[in-house]
Amino acid sequence: MDWGSIIESLFRGLIGESFIVFALAAIGLNLHFGYTGLLNFGQAVFMAAGAYGLAMMVATIGPAANRNFGWDLSESTLFWLGIFVGVVVFPVVFALIMGIPTLRLRADYLAIVTIAVAEIFRIVVRSPTPSIKKWTNSSDGLTGFSGTFYDMSPFSTQDRYLFNLFTGNQMFLVIVGWGVLAIGATICWLLVRSPWGRVLKAIREDEDAARSLGKNAYSYKMQALILGGVFGAVGGMIRAIGFSVAQPDNFITDVTFFVWVALILGGAGKVLAPIVGASLVYGLLNFSDTFLREGVAAEVIPESIMTGTQVGQVRFMLMGLGLALLAAFRPQGIFGNKEEMALDDR
Amino acid sequence: MTGNDFDDELKDVLIPDAGPHAGPATHSSDMSVITSDKIAGVDPQAARAALADVPWEPGAKKPDPILVADNVVRRFGGLTAVDADHVEIQRGVITALIGPNGAGKTTFFNLLTNFDAPDEGTRVFDGHNIDKVPAHKIANYGMVRTFQLTKALSKMTVIENMKLGATGQKGESLWRSVLPFMWKNQEREIEARADALLDRFKLSHMRDEFAGTMSGGQRKLLEMARALMVEPSMVMLDEPMAGVNPALTQSLLGHVTGLRDAGMTVLFVEHDMDMVQEISDWVIVMAEGRIIAEGPPASIGQNQAVVDAYLGTHHHAALDLEAEL
Amino acid sequence: MLLRSLGEPSVGRATHTPHQRPGRRPTWLTTLLGFVAAFVAILAVNGTAVAQNGDETVGGTMRAKDESGENVFVEGVEFSVVDVDGNEVGTATTDADGVWLVELPGPGVYSVLLDTETLQGFELRNPDKNPLTGVEVQPSTNKNTLFPLGERVLEESNSIRAVQLFVDGIKLGMIIAMCAIGLSLIYGTTGLTNFAHGEMVTFGAMTAYVFHVTWQLDFLGTWMTSLAFGAIMAVLFAGIAGGLFNRFVWKPLRNRGASLISALVVSIGLSIFFRYVFLYQFGGRAGFYRDYRIGQQVEFFGLFTMLRKDIFIVVFSALVLVGIGTALSRTRVGKAMRAVSDNRDLAESSGIDVEQVIRYVWIVGSALAGLGGVLFGLTENINWEMGFRLLLLMFAGVTLGGLGTAYGALLGSIIAGVFIQMSTLVIPGDMKNVGALMALIIILLVRPQGLLGRAERIG
């Protein structure tokens, strides 16, 4: 058993790119559920919105526009445009599609619709139909959009950094990611301490009370949905840049569930909690993944019980079980307090 | 008990004590806390006096109505819950809305506050037609309501509950919320106002506690105080005495009359006849969805239609039984 | 303006807070140990996997029309598979069902060559597509390849196609309906939106598979190996499982006063857990009920065709659904179920034992889901995700018909099924589910309580 690689993967999980992605998505989901009580089970779609917004702008829409309108937008222009589209335009569109039919109804309906939208997204983006495929490239995904980002990296691609954990490009991404995470967390902190945040808390607990005091509950819920989605989109964009590809399989529904576990584990309703939750979840995931793989490879775990490919499935099993147990027994997570417990309403 | 004895007992409940309509002592005379532009011009004494000329009929027109409901109908499936021809609420007085169970009071109350939309009819508040106005905008016009099941937000502290009530706090807009300097000053003012109100309602010692730790009666007071943060011109109370222990009743009544004395209009739905007798200036009676009587509290007990509505068939059955024996 | 119900009830009344006797294990630990025990037990029953090793394969089914226009399978056709470097990785010959399969050393890009000498006299429709190159195989999947034989059948006119799709839609709709009734009733009686209901469908399909295909017990006679027996077992096991879930998971949550949102998240967690247990045990490939892989087409009035097995499915489903519908309106238990589902408090005050009704709802609803799973597996295939895919369609059907009503689930599901199939007239086949899901969203805009639901229940 190569304990070195196990510890290394644990560390990467705790602070690496994937953690940043999930921390951002979890902060967004915290705004949705922890502060507003919205049951968003489609955070992966918002993440994909960020990734595809950027990727499509640079890889398919931009070049098509250049061709059709005779423009000559450079890749880096498209890159920055893509960031705008991915972080602002797409999340708003998705939030409107999900929110307009459901925000005046019971919370469950948003849950159903967000899962439905996630499935629609999955089917449409992966469709091999040529008219769609030329924009999204189906299940192979889009590439060739991250160049502008890595061009800005001051790190050498030849060396490894931080105890040999990261390559030059990865280091750049991690540093930028941490910066974005810090800014995002600060914005979130400012939001929830403000009167706006106060209205949100009131709406989460009792919409009618908020309405009787003149607050437009529907509008606030929509704002929260959009804002939380934007956080998710930023996370998704970082994920796409990290892998240098925007692929539908990176944004499947199980990603949403990972984010939920991170959120509930940390404690819905506190600003820093989702970050800690994401760190723990990803650290645990990586650790158990590598640990089990090593176990199978070193034949400590016999092949008849578990093969290498089944390790990934065990992770998901643990995730599902963990989510169920947390929701049932400790809905306030690690940092939440019982009085403010988001799940145990009424 | 014979039918007649039962009848007398009910009349005791409905007919008030003789004597001037003094009511309980109002609380501290610091009216500044609840005075606002909207109620500046209202003279409560004059408003009450004007009621003397109003006929005791359902749908009677009032000299200075703040709320008018016309032909309001609400149906649920095949059942007509409310069918009110015409109702006017006089500005600056306390009006009670009473009726037996199932009369449609709560439904009508929800229709007046726009928490429910009628199938037909119009409602006009303070000159504004509120038919198409969403419930949350009504507060901006100056009408605020409380709830029968008190909605003190238990996961927020008392002072946060109070600050929530303020309308027009710029920081409640998403863009400005991340720039504290844009709303900090306003927040300070709001907090000062909130503290003054808490002081008036004797809740200051609970300021930083979660509302969930308060007793039922304290939560009622909080809900009332919070409603005042809206600086309303009309306060709609949904069964304010429900679940309140007797010790707190006088205090609550005092606050309600205090509101009226500051110039606010109060409408409340109640079952508690003592409260109705003690503080209301005008009473509206509903039964089976219709308005069957209106008048000062003294007149209601003698109104045959009202007695019939409350006693229903029991009254007649008791008389028949007596005749048979 | 929709009036939100003041004080949304929690799933049950909080009668007491659980207090532990000193020295007693905390509840969460008991639950965890229970799951671990179940997991170990599942591992022990390891023989149900369709394929656990060699997870990447490529294959196909060779079928053609003979002189009389009948569908036949072509046996004895030889295939060879070659990797990117030109090395042959395997060969296979089609069996009596026309099926061939080659195990691959791993994911990647391959070429498939059909030996035309072995084609038994049939002609390849696209000879230039042989060998088939650029066949991409993802990890743990079976890649299906198509080598069409014979002339392309003339396109039927759209109206005939519409009839065919309508019939297909009815069939799909009935299957959805059977599974959705339980979902709707569980919501109606307990307020829980049970996201794990799809896994009950999968469970039913797989249980039947285990009995019918994997184990094939016959110590009491060969009838034990039939699909009918497997189906009976599926219904039985699913019903029992539903009862157990209610007893050990949902009832305790109700008694603790857990909020509906907590319960919803718990159901999502369980859904994930069981889905991956199924994947773990069953593997990623599709399974089929042995003799029913493909069937004989029967033509109806020249308007549409149905496979024998599909005719059976439609008739059988109709009987079951009519039976359930009658039971709901005639029997005491059925009426009680509808009463509790419609207005729990009113039903309770009429003297109905609500907890008992809830228990029945869980058992019957889960049993129906299991049966629906068997039928779904019969008409398509059995795979680890089948229930989850169906769940979304169930939500569409139930939302359309009215969440909380049994008849609404029925009506809405059938309409949803027809809508899904007929939407392929205008949108590509792989996106047909999208139509139903979009319809779901639109319904919520226009008439959120569905066709038969009550407006007061939706917030």
Side-chain angles (χ1 to χ4, degrees):
Chain A
M1 298 263 289
D2 181 359
W3 285 102
S5 75
I6 295 179
I7 303 288
E8 195 181 293
S9 81
L10 169 67
F11 225 56
R12 284 191 73 151
L14 287 173
I15 61 166
E17 326 92 78
S18 288
F19 148 68
I20 294 171
V21 168
F22 279 88
L24 282 165
I27 293 180
L29 191 62
N30 198 16
L31 266 172
H32 288 153
F33 179 69
Y35 286 102
T36 325
L38 298 174
L39 283 174
N40 173 20
F41 279 98
Q43 187 68 327
V45 179
F46 282 112
M47 293 165 78
Y52 271 87
L54 172 61
M56 277 169 74
M57 209 60 206
V58 178
T60 53
I61 299 182
N66 278 346
R67 278 197 307 275
N68 288 348
F69 299 125
W71 294 340
D72 188 24
L73 302 167
S74 70
E75 186 184 315
S76 71
T77 319
L78 288 173
F79 178 82
W80 295 108
L81 263 175
I83 295 206
F84 176 72
V85 168
V87 168
V88 177
V89 178
F90 277 14
V92 169
V93 169
F94 276 113
L96 289 174
I97 294 178
M98 293 180 191
I100 293 182
T102 58
L103 287 182
R104 294 194 201 272
L105 310 177
R106 267 177 61 122
D108 311 45
Y109 284 97
L110 182 66
I112 295 175
V113 166
T114 48
I115 293 198
V117 171
E119 182 72 0
I120 293 177
F121 170 79
R122 192 190 73 98
I123 295 177
V124 170
V125 168
R126 295 183 86 209
S127 171
T129 317
S131 51
I132 296 177
K133 189 169 169 158
K134 67 178 176 189
W135 300 114
T136 67
N137 203 19
S138 176
S139 30
D140 298 324
L142 296 167
T143 54
F145 54 85
S146 48
T148 319
F149 179 77
Y150 289 118
D151 286 342
M152 300 189 280
S153 165
F155 297 102
S156 148
T157 51
Q158 308 304 325
D159 300 330
R160 293 191 73 94
Y161 298 84
L162 205 63
F163 312 111
N164 279 350
L165 276 180
F166 302 115
T167 65
N169 277 348
Q170 285 172 342
M171 194 71 219
F172 183 54
L173 184 64
V174 168
I175 301 247
V176 170
W178 270 99
V180 171
L181 188 59
I183 297 176
T186 313
I187 293 181
C188 194
W189 182 74
L190 282 172
L191 278 172
V192 301
R193 285 177 72 246
S194 73
W196 185 85
R198 188 165 58 216
V199 176
L200 233 51
K201 271 172 77 172
I203 289 174
R204 187 231 293 163
E205 189 174 338
D206 199 316
E207 264 184 60
D208 281 332
R211 253 189 231 120
S212 71
L213 297 170
K215 320 299 176 200
N216 184 350
Y218 174 76
S219 166
Y220 277 91
K221 287 203 280 193
M222 185 60 89
Q223 288 170 30
L225 187 61
I226 294 177
L227 204 55
V230 166
F231 273 92
V234 174
M237 199 178 280
I238 293 183
R239 182 160 231 223
I241 294 179
F243 290 143
S244 285
V245 68
Q247 237 185 3
D249 289 333
N250 284 341
F251 301 103
I252 52 178
T253 311
D254 296 314
V255 168
T256 298
F257 295 146
F258 271 35
V259 180
W260 269 92
V261 177
L263 177 67
I264 296 193
L265 182 64
K270 300 278 173 206
V271 178
L272 288 182
I275 299 181
V276 174
S279 175
L280 281 175
V281 164
Y282 234 81
L284 264 171
L285 269 176
N286 270 17
F287 173 78
S288 60
D289 190 58
T290 320
F291 178 78
L292 287 171
R293 276 186 210 281
E294 287 291 325
V296 169
E299 299 191 344
V300 170
I301 302 175
E303 187 89 351
S304 55
I305 295 199
M306 196 185 301
T307 65
T309 33
Q310 289 183 306
V311 168
Q313 299 158 13
V314 173
R315 288 191 340 177
F316 280 101
M317 275 191 244
L318 292 176
M319 193 106 304
L321 188 58
L323 185 62
L325 288 175
L326 269 176
F329 293 114
R330 201 179 163 89
Q332 73 269 36
I334 297 179
F335 292 108
N337 54 39
K338 281 214 146 203
E339 284 156 334
E340 289 205 37
M341 200 159 26
L343 284 176
D344 207 15
D345 279 343
R346 306 162 193 141
Chain B
M1 210 191 287
T2 65
N4 277 337
D5 286 344
F6 196 19
D7 221 329
D8 289 334
E9 201 153 324
L10 186 68
K11 284 192 175 165
D12 276 338
V13 168
L14 291 178
I15 295 175
D17 304 310
H21 186 62
T26 57
H27 278 246
S28 90
S29 50
D30 179 11
M31 297 297 177
S32 63
V33 160
I34 52 177
T35 306
S36 70
D37 301 327
K38 292 198 198 80
I39 54 176
V42 179
D43 179 357
Q45 305 275 32
R48 275 207 297 286
L51 282 176
D53 297 325
V54 177
W56 300 350
E57 305 165 345
K61 298 207 186 304
K62 310 291 186 302
D64 182 15
I66 189 175
L67 179 60
V68 178
D70 248 319
N71 294 319
V72 170
V73 179
R74 181 70 168 104
R75 299 184 195 91
F76 289 111
L79 179 72
T80 304
V82 169
D83 185 3
D85 290 326
H86 191 77
V87 177
E88 296 190 13
I89 312 286
Q90 167 74 335
R91 189 186 307 266
V93 303
I94 298 179
T95 309
L97 178 61
I98 68 173
N101 277 328
K105 308 187 293 293
T106 312
T107 314
F108 190 53
F109 188 86
N110 286 330
L111 292 171
L112 289 176
T113 54
N114 229 357
F115 267 73
D116 189 17
D119 296 310
E120 293 166 30
T122 39
R123 296 140 301 156
V124 176
F125 174 71
D126 211 8
H128 309 281
N129 184 310
I130 62 171
D131 287 328
K132 300 272 185 275
V133 176
H136 67 265
K137 283 224 178 83
I138 305 283
N140 288 337
Y141 286 148
M143 186 201 286
V144 75
R145 68 162 289 176
T146 63
F147 296 86
Q148 185 183 341
L149 293 171
T150 318
K151 288 183 188 289
L153 295 162
S154 46
K155 296 194 178 99
M156 294 166 66
T157 62
V158 169
I159 189 72
E160 278 180 325
N161 262 281
M162 293 297 290
K163 289 197 278 190
L164 182 72
T167 54
Q169 159 63 287
K170 292 205 172 53
E172 286 180 355
S173 137
L174 178 58
W175 303 109
R176 281 182 270 242
S177 62
V178 284
L179 303 167
F181 66 87
M182 296 210 76
W183 49 264
K184 272 278 193 239
N185 281 337
Q186 219 180 349
E187 185 84 343
R188 263 192 284 275
E189 284 166 23
I190 290 174
E191 201 162 316
R193 217 157 39 93
D195 276 320
L197 268 170
L198 284 177
D199 197 41
R200 179 188 172 83
F201 280 80
K202 307 246 184 305
L203 291 172
S204 298
H205 60 289
M206 306 276 310
R207 185 188 192 274
D208 296 308
E209 305 288 332
F210 281 108
T213 61
M214 296 171 96
S215 72
Q218 284 174 321
R219 276 190 242 189
K220 281 254 181 236
L221 288 174
L222 174 59
E223 204 182 15
M224 202 178 290
R226 186 180 67 195
L228 292 179
M229 289 291 294
V230 175
E231 294 181 315
S233 52
M234 181 166 186
V235 179
M236 313 272 286
L237 302 170
D238 191 354
E239 301 209 23
M241 288 304 155
V244 171
N245 70 65
L248 202 54
T249 314
Q250 285 299 330
S251 168
L252 210 54
L253 292 178
H255 285 300
V256 176
T257 46
L259 297 182
R260 189 245 350 250
D261 293 334
M264 276 185 221
T265 314
V266 179
L267 173 78
F268 67 89
V269 173
E270 248 313 325
H271 284 292
D272 185 337
M273 289 306 160
D274 291 333
M275 177 187 184
V276 173
Q277 286 304 319
E278 223 177 308
I279 62 169
S280 57
D281 302 315
W282 193 257
V283 178
I284 299 177
V285 187
M286 281 183 79
E288 292 179 355
R290 310 190 68 93
I291 315 288
I292 59 169
E294 276 196 52
S299 68
I300 295 302
Q302 290 156 338
N303 188 317
Q304 193 57 38
V306 175
V307 172
D308 279 344
Y310 270 91
L311 292 180
T313 50
H314 296 256
H315 179 61
H316 294 109
L319 286 177
D320 288 339
L321 186 65
E322 204 210 347
E324 272 184 51
L325 287 174
Chain C
M1 188 71 54
L2 296 165
L3 176 68
R4 263 172 64 101
S5 55
L6 301 172
E8 194 81 56
S10 63
V11 184
R13 310 197 192 329
T15 48
H16 59 274
T17 48
H19 77 276
Q20 324 277 33
R21 292 198 304 277
R24 200 176 133 81
R25 237 186 280 125
T27 333
W28 66 266
L29 188 57
T30 317
T31 316
L32 183 61
L33 290 177
F35 269 99
V36 170
F39 184 62
V40 171
I42 291 173
L43 287 185
V45 185
N46 212 13
T48 65
V50 170
Q52 271 185 318
N53 304 316
D55 277 338
E56 290 84 28
T57 53
V58 66
T61 307
M62 295 304 293
R63 56 175 94 98
K65 285 196 186 315
D66 67 8
E67 302 86 41
S68 54
E70 288 289 308
N71 275 328
V72 292
F73 297 111
V74 190
E75 190 178 349
V77 183
E78 286 177 16
F79 287 88
S80 86
V81 180
V82 169
D83 68 14
V84 279
D85 304 316
N87 305 317
E88 186 181 270
V89 296
T91 59
T93 312
T94 56
D95 60 14
D97 292 324
V99 176
W100 67 274
L101 195 70
V102 171
E103 283 184 9
L104 301 167
V109 181
Y110 295 89
S111 285
V112 180
L113 177 67
L114 185 159
D115 186 351
T116 47
E117 310 258 308
T118 59
L119 262 179
Q120 326 278 331
F122 291 103
E123 298 279 325
L124 270 179
R125 190 179 304 163
N126 306 309
D128 47 311
K129 287 217 177 110
N130 178 36
L132 198 60
T133 56
V135 178
E136 201 186 311
V137 185
Q138 302 284 354
S140 297
T141 48
N142 167 52
K143 182 77 178 178
N144 214 28
T145 59
L146 211 57
F147 286 91
L149 298 175
E151 291 292 318
R152 187 177 231 355
V153 175
L154 286 163
E155 277 296 333
E156 310 129 8
S157 75
N158 245 14
S159 58
I160 309 261
R161 214 175 136 226
V163 178
Q164 176 76 50
L165 289 172
F166 181 77
V167 172
D168 289 339
I170 298 278
K171 179 191 69 171
L172 179 62
M174 287 210 188
I175 294 177
I176 299 177
M178 196 173 300
C179 304
I181 288 184
L183 184 68
S184 195
L185 280 176
I186 288 174
Y187 173 85
T189 52
T190 63
L192 169 70
T193 311
N194 180 19
F195 275 87
H197 198 73
E199 274 55 64
M200 194 60 78
V201 173
T202 313
F203 180 63
M206 288 192 175
T207 307
Y209 184 88
V210 166
F211 276 96
H212 174 62
V213 178
T214 321
W215 286 350
Q216 301 196 40
L217 314 158
D218 59 1
F219 53 82
L220 285 178
T222 47
W223 54 269
M224 279 181 87
T225 63
S226 70
L227 180 58
F229 179 71
I232 294 175
M233 288 290 109
V235 170
L236 207 67
F237 275 64
I240 294 176
L244 287 175
F245 269 115
N246 181 47
R247 168 82 178 75
F248 290 109
V249 176
W250 302 115
K251 186 156 168 223
L253 277 179
R254 283 200 295 276
N255 287 344
R256 287 172 57 204
S259 77
L260 292 172
I261 293 184
S262 273
L264 189 140
V265 179
V266 170
S267 84
I268 291 189
L270 290 177
S271 164
I272 304 172
F273 176 72
F274 282 111
R275 224 176 321 135
Y276 281 92
V277 168
F278 291 144
L279 175 58
Y280 193 88
Q281 283 298 96
F282 200 77
R285 275 194 301 142
F288 293 89
Y289 291 129
R290 264 193 323 159
D291 314 319
Y292 302 95
R293 287 179 72 100
I294 199 74
Q296 219 193 342
Q297 298 267 11
V298 176
E299 220 191 73
F300 283 86
F301 321 111
L303 283 176
F304 61 90
T305 65
M306 280 180 86
L307 296 171
R308 273 238 158 82
K309 63 176 178 171
D310 288 339
I311 299 176
F312 169 75
I313 288 174
V314 170
V315 173
F316 182 66
S317 310
L319 287 172
V320 171
L321 290 173
V322 167
I324 294 288
T326 317
L328 281 171
S329 60
R330 297 283 173 79
T331 66
R332 221 189 65 224
V333 174
K335 286 197 257 200
M337 281 189 196
R338 277 169 50 224
V340 174
S341 189
D342 197 53
N343 189 331
R344 184 194 167 123
D345 292 325
L346 194 59
E348 195 161 26
S349 54
S350 319
I352 297 179
D353 181 350
V354 171
E355 270 305 327
Q356 196 187 52
V357 169
I358 292 179
R359 197 180 319 135
Y360 284 142
V361 162
W362 269 96
I363 293 176
V364 172
S366 306
L368 277 176
L371 181 60
V374 175
L375 294 175
F376 192 47
L378 188 58
T379 194
E380 299 204 5
N381 61 59
I382 303 118
N383 65 78
W384 66 288
E385 276 193 308
M386 58 192 289
F388 181 63
R389 292 277 108 77
L390 206 62
L391 182 73
L392 288 172
L393 304 183
M394 281 191 255
F395 275 130
V398 166
T399 310
L400 172 59
L403 200 56
T405 80
Y407 296 129
L410 206 68
L411 182 63
S413 302
I414 294 185
I415 296 180
V418 170
F419 190 84
I420 290 171
Q421 295 292 53
M422 295 197 73
S423 66
T424 60
L425 283 172
V426 287
I427 61 178
D430 58 295
M431 304 222 296
K432 62 183 180 183
N433 283 356
V434 171
L437 295 175
M438 300 244 279
L440 165 69
I441 297 179
I442 294 175
I443 296 281
L444 288 177
L445 274 170
V446 174
R447 194 185 153 90
Q449 69 269 35
L451 293 168
L452 302 179
R454 292 190 298 131
E456 295 80 54
R457 303 198 65 159
I458 52 174

